[in-house]
Amino acid sequence: MSVVTADTPAASRTAGSGRTRLSPEQRRSQLLDLGVRLLATRSLDELSIDLLAEEAGISRGLLYHYFGNKHAFHEAVVRRAADDLIAQTAPPVDGEPLERLLISVTAYVDYVEANYEGYLSLVKGAAGGNDTLREIYEEARSALTDRIFREDAQGEIIPDTAATRLVVRGWSAMTEELVLTWVQDPGGVSRRELLAVMAASLPALVEILP
Amino acid sequence: MSVVTADTPAASRTAGSGRTRLSPEQRRSQLLDLGVRLLATRSLDELSIDLLAEEAGISRGLLYHYFGNKHAFHEAVVRRAADDLIAQTAPPVDGEPLERLLISVTAYVDYVEANYEGYLSLVKGAAGGNDTLREIYEEARSALTDRIFREDAQGEIIPDTAATRLVVRGWSAMTEELVLTWVQDPGGVSRRELLAVMAASLPALVEILP
């Protein structure tokens, strides 16, 4: 049974109806989008080829044709999810550095709220020693943290030194812990407080350096 | 072959020589100390009953008598290691709050330097979904962070609120990331810079809260 519904038009066109002729690359891309949506509310262990086939309304055989095996399928979905995270948290081109940082961390909180289970399973898998997940996770983290130095090339909020690189890495681990803990249970902490700490902490930490 | 040497007198008395009559509880405790020392430079996966038997110079059968099975042995060693961490990072009773915090984080850096592999494998195992390791890790983290509020009962550096509890949790994740990254590769960051960031960051983060 396909449970692809009206609010997922891209996936419904993928569902083998033949209404739209797509290239194999486009079909694969749409299946990845569906995989990412399914991962939002599931761990990676719960995301099977069978489930994707059922949701997309196509055969398991066709999915194996696109992705090879379950491992490669998971890797492709997680890479897509990490790319989405990087794209969605891109700061605006213009504005004050701190304002742009606040917009970026707000998008990060939004992303984790919308994709909690999948994001948690990426973090856990990466930390737990799955080499592929670790690699994707580190790539995403590097993209997110390198961006801070690239976007702030004048060093307005952070000069680029070995110590500030280390601090940004620590700050990144802190924001991850803050958002994962808060989304699971805000415990009386407002969204405004969370965002204030996440954004304002970075320049505050840099200022501490001797 | 026993490689227990003169600098490990407790373990050498455990090594079945009969020179000292110990209670089963004392023998078990000494074997745990040896397990923790072995874990300092090994991951948990590399710490086997066979290795401990060889290092202690006693039979595998006797170790199974003390610990039951490999899983229970690992759990007991990791609990002991976590207890050591909590004890070694206890701040002094007297002094200024910030000075005591600095002494505590310095002891934490010392601990991770001396026990890098074992500590990393606890962190990885806990994050990766091993329930027993997760439980021990969370207990240790709670002990370390609760202590901050208990030691600072007057709220001199941190008032006890939902938001500050969340911030301390994030700070804890940050310090863990900072020390694990730095010990593996200081990359030009001095010990003084590391310690300054780790200690001074906590009051700085609390000040950010609206």
Side-chain angles (χ1 to χ4, degrees), chain B residues 3-104:
Chain B
V3 296
V4 170
T5 53
D7 63 355
T8 55
S12 71
R13 283 200 304 277
T14 312
S17 67
R19 275 176 292 156
T20 309
R21 189 171 294 271
L22 298 172
S23 71
E25 196 45 51
Q26 286 172 314
R27 289 187 77 113
R28 187 173 186 279
S29 181
Q30 291 186 337
L31 289 166
L32 281 179
D33 284 340
L34 178 58
V36 170
R37 281 202 299 278
L38 294 173
L39 189 62
T41 53
R42 284 170 185 81
S43 74
L44 205 52
D45 285 343
E46 293 163 341
L47 181 64
S48 65
I49 293 247
D50 276 351
L51 177 69
L52 185 69
E54 185 180 312
E55 296 284 323
I58 62 176
S59 72
R60 297 177 72 236
L62 190 55
L63 282 180
Y64 279 108
H65 168 72
Y66 282 116
F67 297 109
N69 58 47
K70 183 178 173 181
H71 181 76
F73 164 59
H74 278 176
E75 182 177 335
V77 171
V78 172
R79 277 196 190 279
R80 171 64 65 101
D83 288 346
D84 287 351
L85 169 63
I86 294 168
Q88 288 176 34
T89 57
V93 176
D94 296 316
E96 291 299 308
L98 272 181
E99 190 186 317
R100 292 157 72 218
L101 182 60
L102 181 61
I103 290 170
S104 183

Side-chain angles (χ1 to χ4, degrees), chain A residues 62-134:
Chain A
L62 191 55
L63 283 179
Y64 279 107
H65 168 73
Y66 282 116
F67 297 109
N69 56 49
K70 183 178 171 180
H71 181 75
F73 164 59
H74 278 176
E75 182 176 336
V77 172
V78 172
R79 278 196 189 279
R80 172 63 65 100
D83 289 346
D84 287 351
L85 168 62
I86 294 167
Q88 287 176 34
T89 56
V93 176
D94 297 317
E96 292 299 310
L98 272 182
E99 191 186 316
R100 292 157 74 218
L101 182 61
L102 181 61
I103 291 170
S104 183
V105 300
T106 303
Y108 176 46
V109 172
D110 291 343
Y111 179 89
V112 178
E113 279 188 312
N115 300 276
Y116 183 75
E117 290 301 331
Y119 184 69
L120 184 64
S121 95
L122 169 60
V123 171
K124 276 187 173 183
N130 177 313
D131 287 339
T132 303
L133 293 186
R134 175 102 220 147

Side-chain angles (χ1 to χ4, degrees), chain A residues 2 14-16 28 42 58 69 72 74-76 86-87 97 111 117-118 140-141 151-152 156 158 162 172 174 192 194:
Chain A
S2 169
T14 312
R28 187 174 186 279
R42 284 170 185 82
I58 62 177
N69 56 49
H74 278 176
E75 182 176 336
I86 294 167
Y111 179 89
E117 290 301 331
R141 173 143 77 174
E151 296 280 330
D152 182 42
E156 287 182 70
I158 312 175
S172 171
M174 179 177 70
R192 192 173 69 90
L194 175 74

Side-chain angles (χ1 to χ4, degrees), chain A residues 7 11 26 33 41 45 82 88 150:
Chain A
D7 63 355
Q26 286 172 314
D33 284 341
T41 53
D45 286 342
Q88 287 176 34
R150 203 171 54 244

Side-chain angles (χ1 to χ4, degrees), chain B:
Chain B
M1 184 193 81
S2 169
V3 296
V4 170
T5 53
D7 63 355
T8 55
S12 71
R13 283 200 304 277
T14 312
S17 67
R19 275 176 292 156
T20 309
R21 189 171 294 271
L22 298 172
S23 71
E25 196 45 51
Q26 286 172 314
R27 289 187 77 113
R28 187 173 186 279
S29 181
Q30 291 186 337
L31 289 166
L32 281 179
D33 284 340
L34 178 58
V36 170
R37 281 202 299 278
L38 294 173
L39 189 62
T41 53
R42 284 170 185 81
S43 74
L44 205 52
D45 285 343
E46 293 163 341
L47 181 64
S48 65
I49 293 247
D50 276 351
L51 177 69
L52 185 69
E54 185 180 312
E55 296 284 323
I58 62 176
S59 72
R60 297 177 72 236
L62 190 55
L63 282 180
Y64 279 108
H65 168 72
Y66 282 116
F67 297 109
N69 58 47
K70 183 178 173 181
H71 181 76
F73 164 59
H74 278 176
E75 182 177 335
V77 171
V78 172
R79 277 196 190 279
R80 171 64 65 101
D83 288 346
D84 287 351
L85 169 63
I86 294 168
Q88 288 176 34
T89 57
V93 176
D94 296 316
E96 291 299 308
L98 272 181
E99 190 186 317
R100 292 157 72 218
L101 182 60
L102 181 61
I103 290 170
S104 183
V105 299
T106 302
Y108 176 47
V109 173
D110 291 343
Y111 180 90
V112 178
E113 279 188 311
N115 299 275
Y116 183 74
E117 290 302 331
Y119 184 68
L120 184 64
S121 96
L122 168 61
V123 170
K124 275 188 173 182
N130 177 313
D131 287 339
T132 302
L133 294 186
R134 177 102 221 146
E135 191 187 308
I136 298 171
Y137 176 84
E138 288 290 347
E139 280 174 17
R141 173 143 79 175
S142 294
L144 295 171
T145 55
D146 288 353
R147 184 161 66 192
I148 286 170
F149 291 101
R150 202 172 54 244
E151 295 280 330
D152 183 42
Q154 309 305 314
E156 286 180 70
I157 50 176
I158 313 175
D160 191 352
T161 70
T164 57
R165 288 267 170 183
L166 180 66
V167 163
V168 166
R169 195 180 168 95
W171 172 80
S172 170
M174 179 177 69
T175 56
E176 181 181 282
E177 179 72 27
L178 289 174
V179 70
L180 284 172
T181 302
W182 185 84
V183 169
Q184 197 174 35
D185 177 13
V189 177
S190 72
R191 190 181 175 84
R192 191 173 69 92
E193 287 175 304
L194 175 74
L195 291 170
V197 170
M198 288 175 68
S201 54
L202 186 56
L205 291 167
V206 171
E207 265 183 36
I208 287 168
L209 286 170

